[in-house]
Amino acid sequence: MSVCILLGLLVEAWPRESTRVQRQSDASPYDKANLLSRLTIFYIQPLVSLAVQRTITPDDILNQMPGWMKEKTGRERLESEWDKNVAASSSPSLVRTVFWVQAGRIAPMYFLRVLVSCLMFTIPMLLSRLLESLQEAHVHGQTRKNLAYGLVLAGAMFAAAFAGTILKAVVRQKLLMQSLQTKVALTGMIYKKALKLSPASRSQSTTGEIVNHMSVDADVWQDGFYDMSSWLSLPVEIGFAMWLLYGLLGWSSFASIAALLLVAPLQVWRARVYNGMLKDKLTVMDERVRLTTEILAAIKIVKLYGWESAFKQRIMEVRGRELAALKRLGVIFAIMSIVFTSVTLVMSLLTLSVYAAWGGEGFSRGQLTPQTVFVSMTLFTMLRTPIGELSETVTNTINVIVGSNRIKRFLLLEEIGESSVSRDPAVPMDPTLSLVTIENASFSWTKQPPVVASIDQDLADALDDASQPLLQPSEEGNGSEQATTNWRPTLRHIQLSMARGSITSVVGRVGQGKSSLLSAILGEMYILQGHVSIRGRVAYVPQHAWILNASVKDNILFGQPYDESRYLQILYSSGLEPDLAILPAGDMTEIGERGINLSGGQKQRVSLARAAYADADIYLLDDPLSAVDAHVDRHLWKHLLGPEGMLKDKTRILVTHGIHHLKEVDKVVLVKDGEVAEHGTYQELMALRSVFYQLIKEYSISHRKAAAREDTGSMTGATLAGSAGTDNVESRSDGVMAGQAEESASSSDLDDDSSLAATIELSEEVDFPSNDNKTASDGKLVEAERIMEGTVNFTISLAYVRAATYKLAGLVVLFHVNSHGCLVATNLWLRYWIQNNDGTADDGNSNSHLTGGKGLSLKVFIGVFTILTAVYVLSCIIVIYVGFAIARIRASYTLHRDLISKIFRLPCSFFDTTPLGRIINRISSDLQGIDDRLPWAIDEVIYWGVRLTASVIIISASTPTFLIALPVFIVAVAVIQKYYLASSRAVKRIFHVSKSPVFQNFNETLGGVTTIRAMGLQERFKAGNVGLLLTHVNAHVAYSYCIRWVEVRLQFLSSLVILVVAVGFVVSAGKDMDPATAGLALSFTLSITQEINNLVRNYCETQNLLVSVERMCEYTDMETEAPETLPLDPRVEAAATWPPKHGAIEFVNYSTRYREGLDLVLRNVSFKVGAGEKIGIVGRTGAGKSSLTLALFRMIEAANGPWIHSSSSPDGSEATQEEEDDNLVGKIMIDGVDISTLGLSDLRRALAIIPQDPILFAGTIRDNLDPFQEHSDADLWEALDRSHLKAYIQTLPGGLSSEVISNGENFSVGQRSLICLGRALLRKTKVLVLDEATSAVDVETDELIQKTIRAEFKDRTLLTIAHRIKTVMDSDKILVLEQGRVVEFESPNVLLARKDGSLFYRLAEQSGEV
């Protein structure tokens, strides 16, 4: 049997990678490792050694996880068990579910954890025997038997210490991997839940909260199982120590138990208070992350409006509340320091004082011997760890419970009803069956029951008055709208069916429920009555095109297999070929986050191409044509969407504000006030002469032309209406009137062919620059996140200390030294007292009063002991309070303030090339590490550093022979630390970087949940999320291997120190050796094991946590935009000229580029705009229209201007002559003031813009109109009245104080556009830029808005960016751009008279305007 066991151990210990098959195996290093390698963590040695030779890259740490961690069965088991518990209980426990699922794997590790605790307490028992042997040698002299016995005891102490180290490392690593598997499973469950939230649940959980569930709440489990194991090991350790103390000190040890019982109520109080405070902190943190995420997602709008300071103040106000909660926690920690740092010294004071006074027989004074004192002090020192861990365990347990309960509440949120819509993915064999059927259904975004009587009465009123104007206060917006006083369902009594291969157009004004109808079909709303059925697969194109940060090709394929012929056909049908011709890498060009480097029209066409490639049976199209040019509109209609298009055999439901294609559709559905007011063919509805007929006739082309003639000299309705253009989400196409459709139906196809052919031909002949964010030739826009190399720069450490202030940092160090001075003085005082007592004891008077000769009174002994203990306790409290309630708060506040301030000041090019997930990673995970973990790590480094220094001094003074081994020991520790720091730091950086894609994926997914659900792609996205998580966890596993590696080696060295010191005393034992000195030295030697390990590990952990500071400083050290404010130039009397009084604009030889190293997007642009003139700006995609606007607001700076840091490209090469054209520095003048001499805030707040994307922020209506609180409520109501939204806002509870949820999702896109118009009306500026501003409103609303613009902006200079020529036909002048140059600048009539000699004429001809 013994031979078999030895043979088995030999085979197991044989190196695993000795054969070619083993070396080529794709198993992880852990799986390949033999037993010895796993016990000593040797399997990570190649990686650790590599880190010293060169910087570790992500490729070096691939495949570190054991195979069982990658298996999805473990993740699925947790999800399955949770579903069972949810079904069985109304309030299931997530914590219990996790433990139940992992019980089989963690139970053996918990048993080993208890065994390790028992093993570690054998060391004091061995020390007791060793000191007893040394005492005997001191009295009777050294003998060979004593020597042999002492050497055995020294060897046993070494073996026990090292064996405990090995087992503890194995247990910790195994439990960590179980915890990480649980973290991945929980994060996956959070992600899955986010894809299934109901409308009400989505309004309850913001993006910031969901991200926090993933980044903070799930993270509490990464050490959860090990922390929880302490509830088994700590009672064993405390009980073992008390039993050994009782064996040494008898009943006197009960004094230490009494001290523990005295502080127990403090522990209970602290747990209760900490729980509540932690919940408050996490709630405020959710709010901060949500607010920051929302603002940074719309940073371009914030900068255009000059709102940086207002939003920064909002973020800092929330951060202030978060830090106030953190400070309260610091105060709690200071109070509790009595428990987890001071209680063991208090226990030793009480116990030894009681023993000295009454510990002998018959309550006489006890005899304090070296064995009694220093073994008991060793036990008290060892007790500090479990007692300190008890407090930490309570904290960690509360963290796990609170985090798990937050996740539980999220997982228990209501899900979207799978049964609300009857779905059959198969198309029925019977061609007469409708693919989409809605039977008498009512829908709502909330669950409030409908009031049937009022619904019927409203419907009757609406039908009785056919001539009633369409524009009336709508009681519900489009989307998750707020409840009004008289609540009604969003959609009522819908009865519709869509036949196979038909195209149905849904029309109606803003906020009537058009988009809600599509959401109802998709099952995104509550169905209150009726039934919806879908037969076939669905593809969905949303109002806001949802674009992934991937290549154009990947966005179109969307995970489908590549079919070249179909792909090329779709590129042509969706009108993308001309765009791909000008993109730097064609269809392999990377699209930035949220489609940042594509125009709105390009994004929408990519979205259409994606839907077309999906080859679905049913297409739900939410106004995609509003975002494209007129000729592209016709091309898409002819080749993709219309009766002859690629999708002609598919069922199409098209929401639109345009009516020029309505004659060609099979059915028109008019939605009014949440009901289907009319439906039928175009001819049938016109024959009814009701609401639809009124809409067509009142807003035909002839009507608009008449209005234009009546209002000569002013902007016509087309000025802003036609600006319903390419880069927005809900508008009409050019030629939106049915009259045109009727008049030119037969000729439109020919026009389509010629216009698109002209566009494509021109694209091929001319070398277009890329669109506004041209990338490098490989098509990459977003660079890989930078991973720093080498040591964390000392300036990073100084940056943190400086943020906390040097004064506070010095106080912390000073009181740490003071507290440890008291601790060492206590041990020295005990030795001094023992030595005096020995003098008396040798005379045989063990119970003397110790007052004669060298003796001291008991009162003096206890008095000094008490004073030293009190000073120690007070110093500990001061250290914790100053460190965690003052210095930590100041450092966290300063670093966050500097980061947010700098982020708001970074140029737009930074946000174009940096995914939002990277920034969110810094303001959530990195900042949490700085708030919570870094201060503790620094405190631990100071604590263990001072304590180790004291121990080394004591041991060296007591054992001079130790000085011989000390240099060797120091060198060994330095080498281990070098290897560990090099590897762990590099892996930690990879760990941080690998988390950013997880954040980015979460944000992207949450923005496209409806599209993902509609197209049934949940499983694909869940798998992608798990892949990113496993990559991140793989880095965490590699990092944990590094920690275990250093623990085992340092503990081995520490065990050697124990062996060397113990052997030294055993060898030199005799009458000349003082046992008290030996006891003091051995006592400190036993503690040095823990001290060395904790110091090195905490030092390296501090270095690794400083990576978070380094990552924040990476952003705070970046170059910013020009200053927000600058002193006005006295030479031009700017104080009298700015803000501008007239609005005259002049571009002088102006050139610009988006980023250094890119081509110029505007080249030597020169033109003048008189005060009050109306200028139309036209040109093809990439001509520089949007660039001109950005230049006016200085979102991009003049090439070679004063605020350009360098004129050379990133690789150091100088710009070419073509890029420079000449050495002149261009400028833009407004009322004679060079805008480059102004501060950015001064400039931007003196201009007004109605942007393409109508962005709203979470808050109130008032906040969104006037974030600086500069206007009265009367002014705000007046602005809403003029933007035709006052009546609707008055119906909302709270009026101006009505809530706007994240991204304004409780308002329709059109209503958001009207609020943006209200912002412009509030700004009494002389310059207004209109960038396709009313594309998301209906024709009637658009007409009324034109009246507002003609009246309110008549004395302002207007620049209208037009993607549609009709928009600017009546402008004073037309500015035509081509390849970033001005090619024409004249009145429309002059340019049209030139005919073929004018680019404007050709553009107008292509658009069907001439």
Side-chain angles (χ1 to χ4, degrees), residues 195-260:
L195 294 175
K196 299 167 70 175
L197 292 178
S198 69
S201 299
R202 286 201 299 271
S203 66
Q204 296 175 34
S205 294
T206 65
T207 299
E209 289 172 347
I210 297 174
V211 168
N212 269 353
H213 290 321
M214 172 204 72
S215 64
V216 178
D217 298 330
D219 267 5
V220 299
W221 277 100
Q222 66 186 18
D223 283 313
F225 288 128
Y226 186 81
D227 292 334
M228 294 296 190
S229 70
S230 297
W231 290 112
L232 294 177
S233 64
L234 295 185
V236 172
E237 292 174 13
I238 294 173
F240 218 129
M242 291 301 176
W243 176 65
L244 292 176
L245 282 171
Y246 182 79
L248 277 171
L249 305 174
W251 68 270
S252 302
S253 62
F254 293 152
S256 59
I257 298 176
L260 276 179

Side-chain angles (χ1 to χ4, degrees), residues 1172-1303:
E1173 281 191 322
K1174 320 302 180 197
I1175 305 300
I1177 305 171
V1178 300
R1180 293 188 175 90
T1181 298
K1185 302 183 298 293
S1186 296
S1187 303
L1188 201 69
T1189 301
L1190 297 179
L1192 186 63
F1193 283 83
R1194 287 179 61 195
M1195 303 288 279
I1196 51 178
E1197 295 284 358
N1200 291 336
W1203 303 110
I1204 295 296
H1205 304 291
S1206 170
S1207 62
S1208 62
S1209 57
D1211 61 1
S1213 61
E1214 296 188 4
T1216 65
Q1217 182 66 27
E1218 180 184 356
E1219 290 175 324
E1220 298 301 339
D1221 280 297
D1222 52 43
N1223 294 322
L1224 294 177
V1225 177
K1227 59 183 177 180
I1228 302 173
M1229 311 285 288
I1230 300 180
D1231 280 3
V1233 178
D1234 184 350
I1235 65 172
S1236 67
T1237 65
L1238 300 170
L1240 292 182
S1241 181
D1242 296 332
L1243 168 67
R1244 292 167 183 171
R1245 297 190 65 190
L1247 307 176
I1249 185 171
I1250 305 178
Q1252 293 176 339
D1253 297 323
I1255 301 294
L1256 298 186
F1257 301 94
T1260 64
I1261 299 290
R1262 181 183 288 103
D1263 294 336
N1264 274 276
L1265 288 172
D1266 182 27
F1268 287 96
Q1269 308 294 317
E1270 295 174 329
H1271 301 278
S1272 66
D1273 283 4
D1275 292 336
L1276 301 184
W1277 281 117
E1278 183 181 1
L1280 289 172
D1281 187 31
R1282 292 175 179 174
S1283 59
H1284 307 283
L1285 203 57
K1286 178 180 178 180
Y1288 175 70
I1289 299 299
Q1290 285 178 327
T1291 65
L1292 300 178
L1296 291 174
S1297 298
S1298 298
E1299 181 188 11
V1300 178
I1301 66 174
S1302 182
N1303 299 318

Side-chain angles (χ1 to χ4, degrees), residues 941-1160:
V941 167
I942 299 171
Y943 175 86
W944 292 111
V946 173
R947 183 167 168 176
L948 179 62
T949 302
S951 297
V952 170
I953 292 172
I954 294 294
I955 295 171
S956 301
S958 306
T959 315
T961 55
F962 178 72
L963 292 173
I964 301 173
L966 185 60
V968 177
F969 179 72
I970 292 174
V971 169
V973 170
V975 170
I976 292 173
Q977 184 256 350
K978 175 185 176 182
Y979 275 78
Y980 169 65
L981 190 56
S983 57
S984 65
R985 183 178 53 230
V987 175
K988 188 72 169 182
R989 284 169 172 156
I990 296 171
F991 166 81
H992 281 291
V993 169
S994 67
K995 199 166 189 177
S996 294
V998 179
F999 282 101
Q1000 181 183 350
N1001 181 60
F1002 252 71
N1003 278 306
E1004 278 192 335
T1005 301
L1006 293 173
V1009 166
T1010 303
T1011 303
I1012 294 170
R1013 288 201 292 228
M1015 301 179 74
L1017 298 174
Q1018 295 95 321
E1019 292 303 319
R1020 179 198 145 199
F1021 275 83
K1022 283 188 286 187
N1025 175 66
V1026 169
L1028 292 172
L1029 281 171
L1030 290 179
T1031 300
H1032 172 61
V1033 168
N1034 182 74
H1036 196 152
V1037 169
Y1039 178 64
S1040 69
Y1041 289 160
C1042 295
I1043 294 176
R1044 302 291 91 77
W1045 180 89
V1046 75
E1047 281 180 353
V1048 169
R1049 279 138 190 84
L1050 286 177
Q1051 291 283 30
F1052 175 73
L1053 278 180
S1054 302
S1055 301
L1056 277 180
V1057 172
I1058 294 173
L1059 181 63
V1060 169
V1061 173
V1063 169
F1065 279 117
V1066 169
V1067 171
S1068 60
K1071 292 188 176 182
D1072 296 333
M1073 190 201 70
D1074 181 14
T1077 301
L1080 179 66
L1082 285 170
S1083 174
F1084 276 92
T1085 302
L1086 290 179
S1087 67
I1088 206 174
T1089 304
Q1090 185 182 25
E1091 290 161 3
I1092 294 171
N1093 184 50
N1094 285 335
L1095 175 61
V1096 173
R1097 193 156 57 85
N1098 279 290
Y1099 171 74
C1100 295
E1101 179 67 10
T1102 300
Q1103 287 280 303
N1104 294 329
L1105 287 169
L1106 282 170
V1107 170
S1108 294
V1109 180
E1110 178 184 66
R1111 285 163 54 81
M1112 295 179 76
C1113 290
E1114 179 187 353
Y1115 282 4
T1116 57
D1117 292 340
M1118 288 182 173
E1119 296 284 357
T1120 64
E1121 296 179 303
E1124 290 184 295
T1125 58
L1126 284 173
L1128 297 173
D1129 190 345
R1131 293 173 297 175
V1132 295
E1133 298 182 355
T1137 317
W1138 198 265
K1141 305 297 187 298
H1142 307 290
I1145 302 172
E1146 181 179 4
F1147 278 68
V1148 182
N1149 197 38
Y1150 186 85
S1151 300
T1152 188
R1153 56 170 58 87
Y1154 275 87
R1155 296 189 305 281
E1156 290 305 306
L1158 301 185
D1159 292 338
L1160 296 172

Side-chain angles (χ1 to χ4, degrees), residues 477-745:
N478 195 18
S480 306
E481 75 277 4
Q482 296 168 347
T484 62
T485 305
N486 298 317
W487 182 87
R488 294 186 302 175
T490 308
L491 299 171
R492 299 177 294 283
H493 301 314
I494 305 298
Q495 183 79 34
L496 292 171
S497 63
M498 289 75 173
R500 182 185 304 186
S502 67
I503 179 168
T504 301
S505 184
V506 182
V507 298
R509 68 170 182 81
V510 170
Q512 295 298 294
K514 302 182 299 298
S515 296
S516 291
L517 180 61
L518 296 189
S519 296
I521 294 172
L522 290 172
E524 296 289 321
M525 299 177 69
Y526 293 107
I527 181 167
L528 306 179
Q529 65 179 40
H531 181 260
V532 179
S533 65
I534 296 177
R535 299 181 178 92
R537 293 179 297 109
V538 175
Y540 173 60
V541 179
Q543 279 184 310
H544 284 285
W546 178 57
I547 304 296
L548 297 175
N549 179 203
S551 69
V552 175
K553 185 175 182 179
D554 288 339
N555 268 278
I556 294 173
L557 298 182
F558 216 49
Q560 302 257 6
Y562 177 63
D563 182 335
E564 184 175 9
S565 61
R566 178 174 177 78
Y567 177 73
L568 294 177
Q569 182 184 6
I570 286 173
L571 288 182
Y572 173 75
S573 299
S574 58
L576 281 170
E577 287 183 339
D579 301 282
L580 296 182
I582 62 175
L583 289 176
D587 64 351
M588 296 309 295
T589 299
E590 181 183 11
I591 303 177
E593 200 171 33
R594 304 179 304 281
I596 193 72
N597 54 328
L598 297 182
S599 70
Q602 290 170 327
K603 286 188 282 188
Q604 199 60 271
R605 277 177 279 143
V606 170
S607 185
L608 280 168
R610 172 198 299 157
Y613 195 84
D615 195 23
D617 305 303
I618 302 165
Y619 284 82
L620 305 182
L621 311 167
D622 199 347
D623 203 15
L625 296 179
S626 65
V628 298
D629 295 338
H631 61 280
V632 179
D633 177 310
R634 290 197 298 275
H635 175 82
L636 290 172
W637 185 257
K638 178 180 179 181
H639 297 285
L640 186 66
L641 303 177
E644 302 301 323
M646 186 178 175
L647 303 179
K648 62 184 178 182
D649 297 325
K650 309 293 186 180
T651 299
R652 289 142 292 159
I653 305 173
L654 173 67
V655 168
T656 182
H657 280 132
I659 50 180
H660 59 297
H661 292 305
L662 297 185
K663 186 179 178 182
E664 300 178 70
V665 304
D666 298 307
K667 181 188 292 185
V668 177
V669 176
L670 176 64
V671 179
K672 180 170 181 266
D673 201 21
E675 300 176 354
V676 176
E678 298 175 6
H679 69 94
T681 65
Y682 178 86
Q683 291 76 14
E684 290 171 350
L685 296 187
M686 291 297 289
L688 284 176
R689 292 181 173 270
S690 185
V691 179
F692 182 77
Y693 176 83
Q694 175 190 352
L695 174 69
I696 298 300
K697 290 306 178 185
E698 287 187 5
Y699 299 96
S700 64
I701 284 182
S702 60
H703 173 82
R704 290 207 170 196
K705 286 182 177 178
R709 287 192 296 271
E710 292 170 4
D711 193 35
T712 57
S714 301
M715 293 180 63
T716 67
T719 303
L720 195 64
S723 67
T726 38
D727 291 334
N728 215 313
V729 290
E730 187 178 349
S731 79
R732 302 129 330 282
S733 302
D734 257 342
V736 294
M737 300 312 129
Q740 183 187 36
E742 289 177 325
E743 293 167 7
S744 60

Side-chain angles (χ1 to χ4, degrees), residues 1300-1373:
V1300 178
I1301 66 174
S1302 182
N1303 299 318
E1305 291 180 357
N1306 53 332
F1307 291 87
S1308 72
V1309 178
Q1311 289 167 333
R1312 294 178 223 168
S1313 296
L1314 296 179
I1315 292 177
C1316 291
L1317 175 61
R1319 291 172 181 165
L1321 289 166
L1322 283 170
R1323 285 198 169 187
K1324 308 300 181 183
T1325 61
K1326 287 298 178 180
V1327 178
L1328 172 65
V1329 177
L1330 306 174
D1331 196 355
E1332 299 294 352
T1334 59
S1335 61
V1337 299
D1338 60 280
V1339 290
E1340 183 183 4
T1341 307
D1342 194 14
E1343 185 71 18
L1344 293 177
I1345 290 173
Q1346 302 317 311
K1347 295 178 182 178
T1348 299
I1349 290 177
R1350 289 193 290 271
E1352 299 297 329
F1353 302 149
K1354 61 185 178 182
D1355 59 342
R1356 300 195 197 185
T1357 301
L1358 262 67
L1359 303 180
T1360 302
I1361 295 180
H1363 301 274
R1364 301 181 179 183
I1365 302 303
K1366 178 180 289 295
T1367 304
V1368 293
M1369 288 298 285
D1370 65 335
S1371 298
D1372 296 328
K1373 288 184 180 180

Side-chain angles (χ1 to χ4, degrees), residues 337-355:
S337 65
I338 299 172
V339 175
F340 54 76
T341 61
S342 309
V343 70
T344 52
L345 192 59
V346 174
M347 290 168 63
S348 64
L349 167 65
L350 292 175
T351 305
L352 291 178
S353 297
V354 169
Y355 181 77

